[in-house]
């Protein structure tokens, strides 16, 4: 009996072990972690499985949701057990969600080994204000008049109130026309900057919700909000025009206090608020900020502040857009840099080198004299004399001024302006110490997903430059550059870079916010504006060139962002809504392209068409385009009509693919046919009789091959020609914005991996690594932003932080790491590293929506080791790079089992394994 009891308890241990091993982690709501203030009434819930048991798949799940009170009482709404392997984006389908309400939720899962997990650690989300009537606040503004042609002092708006009892919970709902920073009892609310963010302000405006429970206290309290011009009414575009969305700043805020005894009180903006100004005398996104600290009112957001001379706020009666909840990560300080050197410029100017081209601002500790005015100028590079190179900024001043109030120590930074810079000249501050300077790096705070490191230091630097380029240009919207008088959401730049961004950071919520504005800004004719939010549309026409940019002409390769970006999000994160939500816009865009191709005038203008009916028929599919940027900044550009037509086919194909995913079979067929028709016309128009192109430049072959414009039988010849052209250029690229992202893919896919590596590792101009030899710490706008002779590229347009050419990062993850999705979101994926060049090792990983995918390889003279991670609830195909290898796992010959589900060999003799979840270490010695 004793022995029997021993056996029983041993058996009992088995399920306990299995139970503990399967876990649910990383719960997210609408792709955000524990969001506050969302307005989606069917939020989509996701989680990850963790398990040490190889080949673990989810077979069922149960979600339960309740308000915290009900959860405590065990009164949950539950899905019950649902047999499904789906662990991503499950729409909440319980009782209606209430405004401002908080919800707790948990998940448990069952797996294919018969295990059931514990309930996950509780996670939560909270709703925003769902109905217009939930807003008790009134829009208010300050009572004074302003000269709105110039930057103006920042208005402060404040209100004191008494909290009468013990506070259980408090929330602040707030937004503004212009930017805001809010304070309660002197403390800043939240850690977000540049709120409420930039949206198409004529169509929609975001509000934010903050948990401010800990800011309040029983008794006297005060709330204060300072406003800045921002994108709403500050200088915008290279025209340096102001007031594009409106000329008056305004505030809407509502503080909801819930007491322990159940009472609820709302302190909302209305005529009882007081208005004044303080030290911020001018602020502007491009130009910088002027703070006269003698005018500082340190206690203005505290109850005890005497504001008897402040004026009463007044209701704002101008037009205000629709309010929407923020649904993406805010801009935050994401990094802090210490300067690396103190330099002397010509004439003895003091210049601080941050060591890194960054975006954000300088936090300066300073002690000086009352009335002393300190000026900071920011640039990305120094000129050949060692002075700040301000020409590249065009009209953006990037200048921050502080006038000191006294001889005390002050820590100073701007509020409503950001700078793109590596160098800071500090005027009128003797004895600058590096310890007194901090580089505050600002960016939309997106979780890091990708890691990429190899044995080659230059490639690692390239990766770092890509990462810094993305960081600086994802500041609430994806911008072309962060320094000159532009910083706009150029669609083409994102179109080429989105896939790389999606590897490096979680870009889903951020890019969906931007796409939502693209949809709203889409023109009646289906055109997608060249910049989103479409600030250009709001320019006042003052010159012929402004006349053209305000006309709403959409460039090919730019407007195509509406088909390319959702498709990239779907591929990388597996979220069908990324297609469904933009599908209508994608379709309208493709129809816009079709109309552009079938333009009557273009067809008949060309006299060739008069006598050639095939040409006339083909012209319906050749996008002559009225306006295009083409293969922008290419050393040897592709002809525009050629590039347009490829993009027309690409978008038609992406639309057809999206239709297939969404079950729209008619559209799937229609647009697949359209893509075929375009390809056929394209071949007749652009191919020579011997199967090559009239356009004999790298970009032409790259675009045509990448987007399937050729019959299979002609591809090998075209690819060989591409390689020839690259070799003729001594393994230098000659491509621009549109073709660069695909150059290495095309070479790799057609058997020219060596050439691909030779181009990637090329160090002389033009190439990806060349800028590093000139000290680049971000990706440049031009291959030769600094030319080999040390001179600058075209002064009129020369940014040193432009992410477009960083689009090669996508190839690096998919080929050097070899991590490629075979099903959307990496439910099923391939790991097939392609070592090459002088690389001896690479550590590459991507935190997918299911968990960590890793590919770490090491090559020696005699063989190779590859360590692989496959997350639970996925499976993978692993291709070992060496052909005819005797593969071992942890030193023993590979056998099916323990995660290895199948062993095969491909046509080139490489081992191909089907892997379930788990960690693997494979090696082989070279035969
Ligand atoms: C921007 C680009 C943009 C282009 C349009 C430039 O001024 O900086 O990156 O795509 O205009 O051609």
């Amino acid at each position: 009996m004793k022995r029997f009891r021993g056996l029983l308890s041993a058996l009992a241990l088995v399920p306990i072990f299995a139970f503990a091993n399967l876990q649910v982690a990383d719960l997210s709501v609408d792709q955000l972690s524990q969001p506050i203030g969302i307005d989606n009434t069917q939020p989509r819930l996701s989680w990850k499985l963790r398990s040490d048991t190889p080949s673990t798949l989810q077979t069922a799940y149960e979600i339960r949701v309740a308000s915290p009170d009900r959860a405590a009482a065990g009164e949950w709404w539950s899905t019950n057990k649902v047999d499904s392997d789906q662990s991503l984006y499950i729409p909440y389908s319980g009782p209606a969600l209430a405004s401002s309400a908080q919800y707790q939720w948990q998940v448990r899962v069952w797996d294919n080994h018969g295990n059931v997990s514990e309930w996950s650690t509780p996670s939560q989300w909270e709703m925003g204000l769902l109905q217009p009537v939930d807003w008790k606040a009134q829009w208010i503004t300050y009572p004074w008049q302003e000269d709105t042609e110039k930057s103006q002092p920042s208005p402060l708006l404040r209100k004191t109130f008494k909290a009468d009892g013990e506070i259980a919970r408090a929330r602040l709902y707030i937004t503004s026309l212009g930017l805001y920073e809010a304070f309660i009892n002197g403390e800043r609310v939240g850690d977000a900057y540049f709120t409420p963010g930039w949206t198409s302000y004529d169509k929609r405006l975001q509000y934010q919700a903050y948990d401010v429970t800990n800011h309040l206290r029983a008794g006297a309290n005060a709330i204060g909000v300072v406003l800045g011009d921002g994108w709403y009414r500050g200088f915008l575009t290279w025209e340096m025009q102001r007031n594009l969305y409106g000329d008056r700043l305004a505030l809407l805020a509502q503080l909801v206090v819930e007491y322990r005894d159940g009472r609820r009180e709302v302190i909302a903006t209305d005529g009882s608020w007081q208005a004044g100004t303080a030290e911020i005398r001018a602020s502007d996104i491009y130009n910088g900020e002027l703070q006269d600290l003698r005018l500082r009112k340190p206690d203005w957001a505290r109850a005890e502040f005497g504001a008897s001379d402040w004026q009463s706020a007044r209701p704002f009666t101008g037009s205000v857009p629709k309010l929407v909840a923020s649904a993406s990560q805010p801009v935050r300080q994401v990094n802090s840099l210490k300067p690396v050197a103190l330099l002397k410029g010509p004439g003895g100017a003091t210049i601080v080198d941050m060591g890194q081209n960054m975006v954000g601002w300088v936090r300066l500790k300073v002690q000086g004299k009352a009335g002393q005015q300190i000026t900071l100028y920011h640039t990305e590079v120094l000129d050949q004399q060692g002075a700040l190179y301000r020409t590249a900024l065009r009209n953006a001043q990037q200048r921050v001024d502080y006038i000191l109030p006294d001889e005390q120590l002050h820590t100073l930074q701007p509020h409503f302006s950001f700078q793109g810079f590596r160098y800071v000249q500090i005027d009128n501050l003797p004895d600058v110490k590096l310890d007194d300077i901090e580089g505050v790096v600002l960016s939309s705070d997106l979780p890091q997903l990708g890691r990429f490191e190899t044995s080659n230091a230059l490639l690692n630097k390239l990766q770092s430059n890509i990462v810094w380029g993305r960081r600086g240009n994802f500041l609430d919207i994806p911008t072309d550059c962060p320094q000159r008088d532009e910083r706009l959401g150029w669609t083409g730049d994102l179109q080429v870079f989105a896939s790389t961004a999606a590897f490096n950071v979680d870009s889903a919520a951020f890019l969906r916010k931007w796409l939502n504005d693209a949809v709203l800004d889409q023109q009646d004719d289906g055109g997608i504006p060249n910049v989103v939010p479409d600030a250009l549309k709001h320019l006042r026409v003052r010159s012929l060139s402004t006349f053209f940019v305000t006309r709403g002409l959409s460039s090919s390769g730019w407007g195509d962002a509406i088909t390319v970006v959702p498709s990239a999000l779907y591929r990388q994160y597996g979220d069908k809504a990324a297609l469904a939500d933009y599908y209508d816009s994608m379709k309208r865009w493709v129809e816009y392209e079709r109309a552009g191709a079938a333009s009557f005038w273009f067809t008949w203008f060309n006299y060739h068409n008069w006598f050639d009916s095939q040409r006339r028929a083909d012209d319906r599919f050749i996008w002559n385009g009225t306006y295009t940027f083409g293969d922008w900044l290419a050393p040897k550009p592709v002809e525009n009509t050629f590039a347009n037509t490829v993009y027309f086919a690409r978008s038609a194909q992406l639309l057809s693919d999206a239709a297939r995913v969404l079950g729209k079979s008619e559209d799937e067929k229609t647009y697949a046919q359209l893509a075929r028709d375009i390809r056929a016309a394209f071949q007749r128009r652009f191919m020579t009789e011997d199967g090559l192109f009239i356009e004999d430049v790298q970009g032409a072959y790259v675009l045509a091959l990448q987007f399937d414009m050729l019959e299979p039988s002609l591809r090998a010849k075209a690819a060989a020609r591409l390689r020839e052209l690259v070799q003729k250029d001594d393994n230098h690229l000659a491509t621009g914005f549109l073709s660069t992202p695909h150059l290495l893919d095309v070479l790799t896919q057609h058997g020219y991996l060596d050439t691909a590596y030779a181009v990637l590792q090329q160090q002389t101009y033009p190439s990806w690594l060349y800028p590093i030899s000139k000290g680049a710490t971000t990706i440049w706008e031009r291959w030769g932003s600094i030319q080999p002779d040390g001179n600058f590229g075209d002064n009129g347009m020369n940014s040193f932080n432009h992410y477009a050419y960083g689009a090669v990062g996508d190839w690096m993850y998919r080929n050097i790491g070899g991590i490629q999705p075979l099903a959307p979101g990496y439910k099923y994926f391939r790991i097939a590293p392609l070592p090459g060049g002088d690389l001896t090792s690479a550590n590459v990983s991507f935190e997918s929506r299911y968990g960590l995918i890793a590919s770490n390889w090491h090559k020696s003279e005699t063989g190779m080791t590859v360590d692989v991670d496959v997350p639970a609830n996925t499976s993978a195909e692993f291709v070992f790079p060496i052909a005819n290898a005797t593969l071992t796992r942890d030193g023993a010959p590979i056998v099916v089992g323990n995660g290895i589900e199948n062993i095969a060999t491909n046509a080139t003799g490489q081992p191909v394994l089907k892997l379930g979840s788990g960690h693997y270490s494979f090696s082989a010695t070279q035969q």
Side-chain angles (χ1 to χ4, degrees):
M1 184 62 195
K2 218 172 161 192
R3 258 181 51 205
F4 188 56
R5 265 221 313 264
L7 186 66
L8 263 184
S9 51
L11 275 177
L13 278 179
V14 175
I16 289 170
F17 168 74
F19 198 78
N21 179 35
L22 179 65
Q23 287 175 2
V24 181
D26 278 4
L27 276 62
S28 66
V29 177
D30 286 342
Q31 314 198 56
L32 298 171
S33 162
Q34 315 221 42
I36 293 190
I38 62 170
D39 60 7
N40 181 3
T41 52
Q42 282 195 307
R44 293 167 321 124
L45 310 176
S46 309
W47 57 87
K48 290 175 188 162
L49 267 66
R50 299 251 163 85
S51 169
D52 293 338
T53 313
S55 289
T56 292
L57 296 169
Q58 177 185 299
T59 54
Y61 68 80
E62 181 178 358
I63 302 171
R64 64 181 190 182
V65 182
S67 64
D69 291 353
R70 285 177 163 258
E75 295 167 15
W76 298 88
W77 167 82
S78 153
T79 57
N80 296 321
K81 184 177 174 187
V82 180
D83 289 331
S84 165
D85 67 348
Q86 195 182 344
S87 53
L88 302 180
Y89 317 124
I90 293 160
Y92 166 78
S93 58
L97 301 172
S99 245
S100 303
Q102 204 177 4
Y103 295 93
Q104 261 189 23
W105 69 292
Q106 288 178 295
V107 187
R108 60 175 165 172
V109 297
W110 286 257
D111 74 12
N112 53 331
H113 305 296
N115 300 315
V116 54
S117 75
E118 298 252 28
W119 283 108
S120 65
T121 314
S123 190
Q124 36 195 310
W125 82 81
E126 190 174 311
M127 303 307 288
L129 300 179
L130 300 180
Q131 305 297 333
V133 296
D134 297 329
W135 283 98
K136 307 294 174 216
Q138 242 178 51
W139 277 98
I140 59 166
T141 186
Y142 37 93
W144 55 86
Q145 293 305 311
E146 298 162 295
D147 174 359
T148 54
E149 288 311 303
K150 301 199 290 235
S151 297
Q152 293 296 309
S154 271
L156 312 181
L157 294 156
R158 74 187 294 277
K159 161 96 184 162
T160 53
F161 59 96
K162 206 163 156 252
D164 193 6
E166 211 189 322
I167 295 157
R169 175 177 120 122
R171 294 289 182 269
L172 174 65
Y173 303 94
I174 179 169
T175 187
S176 55
L177 300 178
L179 302 173
Y180 74 82
E181 276 187 68
F183 300 82
I184 293 178
N185 297 328
E187 299 294 323
R188 194 176 191 279
V189 173
D191 54 3
Y193 292 100
F194 298 96
T195 47
W198 190 6
T199 49
S200 299
Y201 290 138
D202 46 335
K203 313 269 177 35
R204 63 183 198 127
L205 176 67
Q206 298 182 132
Y207 69 90
Q208 284 79 37
Y210 300 94
D211 179 352
V212 292
T213 315
N214 294 332
H215 283 270
L216 295 179
R217 52 181 179 234
N221 287 275
I223 175 168
V225 182
V226 54
L227 302 179
D229 292 354
W231 300 283
Y232 184 78
R233 74 161 192 185
F235 290 94
L236 217 50
T237 87
W238 56 92
E239 293 263 333
M240 293 297 275
Q241 291 196 24
R242 286 178 61 77
N243 309 313
L244 292 197
Y245 295 97
D247 62 8
R248 196 163 185 88
L249 305 179
L251 171 68
L252 183 76
Q254 163 165 329
L255 177 62
V256 181
V257 183
E258 287 171 18
Y259 293 101
R260 290 237 178 265
D261 59 13
R263 277 176 308 124
R264 199 167 172 272
E265 196 178 345
V266 177
I267 294 98
T269 41
D270 61 18
S272 70
W273 286 52
Q274 298 164 302
T277 62
E279 76 274 17
I280 305 177
R281 306 317 290 167
S283 72
D284 185 74
I285 299 269
Y286 295 161
N287 286 338
E289 199 157 306
L290 165 63
Q291 296 181 19
D292 184 345
L293 295 141
R294 294 170 300 189
L295 303 173
R296 205 141 80 142
K297 299 182 173 126
D299 292 328
W300 71 281
R302 292 183 195 277
E304 56 273 21
F305 180 73
S308 52
D309 57 340
W310 284 39
Q311 304 178 54
S312 293
R314 64 171 173 74
F316 175 77
T317 50
S319 71
V320 284
K322 183 180 158 205
L323 295 183
V324 294
S326 274
S328 62
Q329 297 86 347
V331 174
R332 294 199 177 100
Q333 173 168 357
V334 296
N335 219 322
S336 165
L337 294 183
K338 285 260 140 242
V340 298
L342 195 58
L343 311 171
K344 280 279 168 244
T350 304
I351 298 175
V352 174
D353 178 2
M354 301 307 299
Q356 170 65 50
N357 194 15
M358 56 163 280
V359 174
W361 54 52
V362 168
R363 189 175 284 150
L364 178 70
K365 274 200 216 136
V366 61
Q367 195 162 15
K369 297 204 163 48
Q372 179 180 344
Q373 178 159 355
I374 297 161
T375 306
L376 281 69
Y377 294 99
H378 307 72
T379 65
E380 300 186 292
V381 289
L382 299 179
D383 67 17
Q384 285 167 320
Q385 285 69 49
L388 295 199
Y389 180 58
R390 299 190 73 215
T391 318
L393 304 176
R394 300 194 309 217
N395 290 309
Q397 294 306 306
Q398 294 219 112
R399 166 181 172 164
V400 175
D401 283 87
Y402 301 108
I403 303 174
L404 299 183
D406 50 34
E407 294 181 10
Q408 304 298 308
L409 181 67
H410 295 276
T411 302
L412 305 171
Q413 65 183 21
H415 297 257
F416 299 123
S417 175
F418 61 86
Q419 286 77 48
F421 67 102
R422 169 173 170 172
Y423 299 97
V424 196
Q425 179 175 320
I426 306 185
D427 285 3
N428 203 22
L429 180 64
D431 196 21
V432 171
K433 287 188 208 60
L434 291 187
D435 274 351
D436 294 341
I437 292 162
E438 178 190 350
V440 174
V441 181
L442 301 173
S443 179
S444 284
D445 190 7
L446 311 184
Q448 181 178 354
L449 300 182
R451 286 173 204 278
F452 178 93
E453 205 190 346
T454 68
S455 51
N456 183 298
L458 285 175
L459 272 193
N460 298 344
K461 185 66 184 166
L462 174 64
Q463 167 69 9
S464 164
N465 291 359
I466 295 171
V467 164
W468 276 98
R470 199 279 317 154
R471 190 173 282 148
N473 281 297
F474 272 20
L475 197 142
D476 207 59
I477 65 153
T479 56
D480 56 336
C481 57
Q483 74 299 81
R484 69 178 177 225
D485 50 6
E486 211 153 348
R487 316 186 190 189
L488 300 172
W490 283 97
T491 48
D493 304 46
L494 178 66
Q495 185 270 111
V496 300
F497 187 68
S499 299
T500 299
F503 259 116
N504 282 316
V505 289
D506 186 345
S507 307
F510 174 83
L511 291 182
R512 280 169 58 86
K513 163 186 173 278
W514 181 85
L515 284 165
N516 290 342
D517 288 308
V519 168
L520 291 172
D521 281 340
Q522 188 166 23
Q523 296 153 190
D524 292 343
D525 61 4
I528 293 288
N530 293 318
V531 304
V532 172
D534 188 4
L536 302 180
K537 173 177 75 190
H538 299 282
L539 288 174
R540 287 170 291 280
V541 176
R542 289 181 183 154
S543 64
L544 200 59
S545 69
T546 336
F547 175 79
F548 282 112
V549 291
T550 54
R551 291 306 95 181
L553 296 167
S554 305
S555 170
S556 75
W558 270 247
D560 297 279
I562 199 67
T563 54
V564 175
V565 177
S567 307
L569 292 180
Y570 177 58
R571 186 176 59 239
Q572 200 71 358
Y573 307 124
D575 175 16
K576 268 192 198 171
L579 295 177
D581 292 355
Y582 308 108
Y583 185 80
D584 289 342
S585 285
M586 293 164 81
K587 190 166 164 180
R588 290 178 57 214
W589 166 252
V590 172
E591 290 303 331
Y592 173 89
E593 293 183 301
R594 196 206 294 260
S599 147
F600 173 84
W601 293 111
F602 274 95
T603 308
W604 286 100
F605 184 68
N606 189 336
Y607 69 90
H608 288 296
N609 289 350
W610 299 349
F611 311 103
D612 185 339
S613 58
Q614 179 70 60
R615 264 195 86 98
R616 267 202 315 276
D618 282 352
D619 251 12
R620 290 178 298 140
F621 304 109
I622 301 294
W623 188 12
N624 292 303
T626 43
Y627 182 78
T628 181
F629 302 114
D631 197 8
W632 188 242
L633 304 183
K636 296 179 188 168
V638 193
E639 194 267 330
N640 287 343
T641 310
F642 185 106
N644 290 350
T645 306
V646 175
Y647 262 89
F648 180 20
R650 181 183 185 191
S651 276
Q653 187 61 56
L654 287 174
L655 179 59
S656 168
D657 295 346
R660 181 176 22 79
V661 174
L662 300 173
K664 297 172 189 287
S665 54
E666 270 312 300
D667 278 6
E668 180 192 346
K669 276 186 251 152
T670 309
Y671 290 101
Q673 185 57 46
L674 175 60
R676 278 194 293 276
D677 291 341
I678 300 166
R679 288 179 186 129
F682 170 91
Q683 288 167 17
R684 283 188 288 268
R685 183 64 51 94
F686 295 108
M687 298 210 60
T688 62
E689 274 172 14
D690 55 358
L692 294 175
F693 287 134
I694 299 172
E695 286 299 311
D696 201 25
V697 291
Q698 289 181 21
Y701 293 95
V702 170
L703 289 177
L705 286 163
Q706 177 75 8
F707 300 115
D708 276 346
M709 301 303 286
L710 303 182
E711 293 306 315
S713 59
L714 298 175
R715 286 182 197 155
K717 189 168 184 179
R721 179 64 186 157
L722 171 64
R723 191 187 46 164
E724 238 168 67
L725 288 175
V726 170
Q727 287 181 336
K728 261 198 191 160
D729 282 336
D730 238 346
N731 296 324
H732 290 94
L733 40 71
T735 48
F737 272 33
L738 298 187
S739 53
T740 296
H742 313 293
L743 171 63
L744 300 190
D745 263 311
V746 169
L747 289 169
T748 309
Q749 280 156 25
H750 292 87
Y752 302 123
L753 183 67
D754 286 355
T755 312
Y757 267 102
V759 176
L760 179 68
Q761 297 206 287
Q762 175 60 263
Q763 294 181 32
T764 55
Y765 169 84
S767 67
W768 279 288
L769 300 185
Y770 160 74
I772 297 170
S773 71
K774 295 285 179 189
T777 58
T778 36
I779 301 290
W780 293 347
E781 179 170 27
R782 298 170 177 278
W783 296 120
S785 284
I786 297 174
Q787 294 168 359
D789 63 8
N791 287 320
F792 290 115
D794 183 347
N795 277 337
M797 206 189 72
N798 200 6
S799 140
F800 296 86
N801 196 355
H802 236 73
Y803 53 53
Y805 288 147
V808 68
D810 179 33
W811 181 90
M812 295 180 351
Y813 278 100
R814 286 185 292 102
N815 294 279
I816 298 179
I819 299 174
Q820 305 160 8
L822 297 175
Y826 296 77
K827 177 86 173 116
Y828 180 44
F829 58 94
R830 178 180 290 140
I831 295 189
L834 295 179
D838 67 3
L839 298 190
T840 53
S841 71
N843 288 344
V844 182
S845 67
F846 172 64
E847 178 69 31
S848 75
R849 287 289 189 260
Y850 295 96
L852 186 75
I853 298 173
S855 163
N856 298 329
W857 56 262
H858 184 85
K859 236 176 85 175
S860 65
E861 298 276 289
T862 52
M864 182 162 181
T865 301
V866 187
D867 283 7
V868 167
D869 279 296
V870 178
N873 209 20
T874 70
S875 55
E877 175 188 282
F878 170 66
V879 184
F880 191 77
I882 300 176
N884 308 317
T886 308
L887 198 58
T888 60
R889 175 182 184 183
D890 299 323
I894 45 164
V895 285
V896 168
N898 205 10
I900 300 181
E901 295 171 6
N902 187 42
I903 301 174
T905 306
N906 67 14
T908 48
Q910 294 165 318
V912 179
L913 313 187
K914 168 104 194 288
L915 302 179
S917 64
H919 175 81
Y920 304 87
S921 184
F922 297 113
S923 328
T925 37
Q926 198 96 38
Q927 297 293 299

